[in-house]
Each structure stands twice: as structure tokens, then as C-alpha cells.
Amino acid sequence: MKIDRSLVDGMIRGQFPRWHGLELRELRHGGTDHAIYRLGDDLAVRLPRLEEAKDQAERDFEVVPGLAPHLPVALPEPLALGEPTEDYPFRWSVVRWLGGDISTIDAVSPHTGARLAEVLLALQKVDTTGESWTTYRGRHDISISDAGVRWAIAKLGGDPMLTAIWDDAISAPRWRGPLRWVHADLHRGNLLFSGGELTGVIDWGCAAAGDPAGDLMTAWLFLDERGRTLFQREIGYDDATWTRARGWALELSVLALARRGDSNPFVAGIARHALAQLLTERTG
């Protein structure tokens, strides 16, 4: 979907005139679901650019205010929910800008694995009463992705170790515990660091209640062996949950690479890191 500065400026002028006139500049990033514009010094505008992301702005407004007070990191506070226009078909949002930078695991604190565990344990303690099982990552039945994952593995060369990891994941016992909140997209692009310390988590449009394995996948998507060991020790869970978590990490990674290849280097880098971690762990 074509989204440019003129379009965004016009929507702000028409729906939120109190912010019109603030400097508006596009934020170049590696994400696929949203266009993001910095608005002044303190705000950001997020606009879904894919059909499958069209409900995420509204979901942010539903979940972030209830989750943010419970977490030891900052979340982007939603401030205004924009409506579709003749030129743009989805709801969109203005949120509080969060400082910080995305990073790689080798450039952050050696305690990041423990810090991620702290964040997820706090998230998983938040009450899920009234929430339905997610239909996204962390859903009750990971095997729904089976055909797509096998197609992707085959397209990427058919590595039998990837197939074995996937077979283990879909054969593992399902989550029988209480529903837990999951962010469901916990990779490098959604973690903010300041001075090497994790200070923020962004992009909550997929957050829902489900199997905590849907978030434990960050052990391979972001962490390395040292960080993963620390993360696993701090957060706990049984072998079956970790087996499903490997499946979610693999699913995200092979589908991203099979569908887009290296057309988005940022996403491809996340996926290749995760697959390398999964395979090294499998052979080690």
C-alpha cells in the first residue's frame, strides 16, 4: 500500500488538528506491517499497510493500557485512534514515542536473557479473564501451520534437521495450563535498548492470551547460546513448552525466508539468526 508523507499529513490535519504542524518525518525501519512516522519529538504515527495488520491499531488500544502498568519496561502509550479515509482504508494510531534503539544480542548487556525473562514473567502474571485463545502465535494447535512450514522448509532446501525440529514441535503435548498473555512477535525489531539495557517493548497489535511458548521463541529469534541459557534458567517451563517454542521460532523464520527471501534484509537477518541458533543447538 502506498503511504507517503502527504497522505499522513492530510489525515492528521483532518482528524487531529491539535498535532498538525508538528514536524512529520518517515521512520525507516525493517518491519513489514506498518508505516511509521515520527510526529514532533514525542509522538509516532503508525499506519497498517497490509490487510492482515488492519486490526492492530485498535488492538493496541485494547491491551496496552492494561498491560503497561505491570511490566518493568516501557510500552508505547496509545493516544489517538484514527479512522479510515477515502484514501486510506484502515484504522491507524498516534502513540507516545519511546526512546531507545534496536540492537543485536552481541551489542547489549550480558544479562539481557534474564531481563527478557523478567519482562515475560511479569506479562504472564497479568490476568487473562475474558480473553479468548489467540489464533496467532501461541495458539492452542501449532500444527495448523504444518503445510505452510513444510512447504517453506522444502523451498529453502529441505534441511532434515529443520523438519525434525518441526516434527517435535507439532508432536509435543499441548499447553494445558491457564491462558497467559503473549506478545506473539517478540523479535529484535520490537525490543528497545538504551545503553545496552532493555528498556522498551513495542508493537503490541498481536498480543493475546494463549500458550506462553509463543513468546519463548525469542530465545532463538534474538538471544545467543549464553543468553538463551540464562533466559531458560530464569523463566522455567517444561520440555514440551520449549519444544513448541522452537516450533514457533522455526515457523516465523522459514515462512519469512521462503516468502520474501532477502528482499527485506532486516527480517531475513532475524530469520537467519534464529535458524542458525536452532540448528547449532540441535547438532550440539
Side-chain angles (χ1 to χ4, degrees):
M1 179 179 300
K2 180 175 174 54
I3 299 173
D4 58 25
R5 185 184 178 282
S6 176
L7 173 70
V8 179
D9 183 71
M11 292 196 298
I12 294 171
R13 181 178 64 249
Q15 298 188 36
F16 306 116
R18 62 189 181 278
W19 291 319
H20 189 249
L22 295 176
E23 183 181 5
L24 182 67
R25 51 202 186 277
E26 185 177 5
L27 179 66
R28 299 290 182 178
H29 63 97
T32 57
D33 290 353
H34 291 81
I36 302 177
Y37 283 76
R38 186 88 180 261
L39 181 60
D41 293 329
D42 301 321
L43 307 174
V45 185
R46 301 181 75 243
L47 303 102
R49 55 187 176 195
L50 300 174
E51 177 76 20
E52 54 262 39
K54 67 179 182 178
D55 298 324
Q56 291 191 21
E58 191 168 0
R59 186 60 175 164
D60 275 339
F61 271 74
E62 292 172 352
V63 304
V64 169
L67 296 176
H70 301 280
L71 301 188
V73 291
L75 277 59
E77 177 190 2
L79 300 174
L81 188 60
E83 297 297 331
T85 69
E86 290 184 0
D87 300 314
Y88 180 77
F90 307 137
R91 302 188 88 178
W92 52 284
S93 61
V94 180
V95 303
R96 188 79 63 191
W97 175 262
L98 291 185
D101 299 292
I102 59 173
S103 187
T104 55
I105 185 59
D106 58 330
V108 299
S109 165
H111 306 295
T112 296
R115 178 66 165 164
L116 269 170
E118 178 189 7
V119 172
L120 289 186
L121 287 170
L123 176 63
Q124 292 163 10
K125 290 177 182 176
V126 180
D127 185 24
T128 59
T129 300
E131 294 290 328
S132 302
W133 264 99
T134 181
T135 58
Y136 197 49
R137 297 186 194 111
R139 63 178 174 263
H140 189 245
D141 185 4
I142 189 174
S143 70
I144 292 172
S145 296
D146 188 49
V149 169
R150 292 187 190 279
W151 164 82
I153 292 173
K155 186 172 182 179
L156 297 175
D159 190 323
M161 284 198 291
L162 295 181
T163 300
I165 292 168
W166 181 246
D167 285 340
D168 288 347
I170 63 175
S171 300
R174 296 180 183 178
W175 176 249
R176 302 298 183 189
L179 295 181
R180 304 294 190 194
W181 277 104
V182 289
H183 177 280
D185 205 22
L186 207 58
H187 55 66
R188 180 163 73 96
N190 291 329
L191 304 174
L192 295 180
F193 292 84
S194 298
E197 300 296 331
L198 180 64
T199 56
V201 178
I202 61 175
D203 197 358
W204 290 83
C206 298
D211 176 359
D215 273 349
L216 301 187
M217 67 177 184
T218 195
W220 299 273
L221 288 168
F222 181 67
L223 298 173
D224 56 15
E225 182 179 2
R226 181 179 66 173
R228 187 162 51 253
T229 298
L230 185 57
F231 178 69
Q232 291 174 319
R233 186 178 70 205
E234 294 294 321
I235 204 167
Y237 287 106
D238 60 11
D239 290 344
T241 303
W242 286 107
T243 299
R244 295 191 305 275
R246 290 183 186 90
W248 287 119
L250 185 143
E251 187 233 29
L252 183 155
S253 302
V254 297
L255 289 176
L257 289 172
R259 289 170 176 169
R260 300 187 181 94
D262 290 312
S263 63
N264 184 323
F266 181 79
V267 173
I270 293 171
R272 294 189 189 284
H273 172 85
L275 294 183
Q277 294 294 313
L278 286 165
L279 291 172
T280 298
E281 179 187 69
R282 187 83 178 185
T283 57

